[in-house]
Amino acid sequence: MVLTASTMLPLGTKAPEFHLPEVVSGENISLANFADKKALLVMFICRHCPFVKHIQQELANLGKDYLNSDLVIVAISANDAQNYPNDAPESLKEMSTELGFKFPLCYDETQETAQAYTAACTPDFFLFDQERKLVYRGQLDDSRPSNNKPVTGADLRAAIEAVLVDQAVTSEQIPSVGCNIKWKPGNEPNYFG
């Protein structure tokens, strides 16, 4: 594991398009599936990373808490499943079922979507407004596996709440940190390392 921080993609960036299979249903998911929603949260996660394990219940809570809101959540795993079998689609399907995710969990086998978002770590969060412009990319909250702070989702939840009531999201955002995305050999983007 390499401790890695978010790339902090510039605010205002348009959400890159994607077409990815959802691991539970097998359905193909794209931005068009959510065109009617006011806000879009794209989360890059995986199953094996201790940083994701530390917050996985809060991720499930986000899905439940915002299920009937104007926010749509999409989780994506882009890790190399050949070298990290816990992050293969079947294992991700188990994770989604066990945690009761109320949002799609997609698998980015080519890693092209992760690269389009400049996703660097797990977890990595990207929140977009109704025009699908980036308004937040940063940490879930101050909790880390080693600091004994409670997992609250405070930073991300504050950004979500602001978008849902048409308020500006603070531009003072703290990068998310976690394990680096497990790039396939030779597939590492220029922003990695």
Side-chain angles (χ1 to χ4, degrees):
M1 174 201 85
V2 176
L3 184 63
T4 303
S6 297
T7 61
M8 301 304 276
L9 187 65
L11 295 174
T13 300
K14 288 285 277 187
E17 184 55 81
F18 59 84
H19 298 274
L20 297 171
E22 202 279 324
V23 298
V24 176
S25 67
E27 191 180 326
N28 196 41
I29 303 291
S30 73
L31 290 181
N33 290 83
F34 318 112
D36 60 329
K37 293 289 189 173
K38 182 181 272 191
L40 166 70
L41 173 61
V42 178
M43 309 186 296
F44 287 86
I45 65 171
C46 67
R47 189 173 190 183
H48 87 275
C49 171
F51 287 84
V52 175
K53 286 182 177 183
H54 178 68
I55 63 165
Q56 66 187 9
Q57 190 55 58
E58 177 60 14
L59 299 181
N61 292 344
L62 282 168
K64 292 171 187 156
D65 293 348
Y66 289 99
L67 183 60
N68 296 309
S69 75
D70 218 5
L71 170 74
V72 65
I73 300 172
V74 179
I76 299 172
S77 180
N79 280 357
D80 175 8
Q82 185 170 345
N83 289 308
Y84 297 87
N86 277 347
D87 297 331
E90 269 309 308
S91 181
L92 295 170
K93 179 179 179 179
E94 290 173 7
M95 175 191 188
S96 180
T97 302
E98 288 168 7
L99 292 169
F101 283 171
K102 301 295 183 191
F103 47 79
L105 174 53
C106 299
Y107 183 61
D108 179 17
E109 183 174 6
T110 67
Q111 302 182 322
E112 290 173 4
T113 300
Q115 291 181 15
Y117 280 77
T118 69
C121 56
T122 55
D124 213 349
F125 302 98
F126 300 84
L127 179 65
F128 299 89
D129 64 14
Q130 191 153 21
E131 295 175 5
R132 297 305 179 249
K133 290 184 178 175
L134 185 66
V135 294
Y136 184 83
R137 71 299 187 239
Q139 67 178 8
L140 178 74
D141 57 33
D142 289 331
S143 183
R144 304 289 183 264
S146 60
N147 71 7
N148 294 318
K149 291 185 179 182
V151 178
T152 63
D155 294 47
L156 182 58
R157 284 177 180 269
I160 291 167
E161 291 299 322
V163 173
L164 292 178
V165 296
D166 300 314
Q167 291 182 349
V169 177
T170 179
S171 60
E172 291 180 27
Q173 301 173 8
I174 299 168
S176 184
V177 294
C179 303
N180 63 291
I181 288 181
K182 305 307 183 218
W183 302 105
K184 294 179 180 181
N187 211 26
E188 300 89 351
N190 59 6
Y191 58 84
F192 175 68

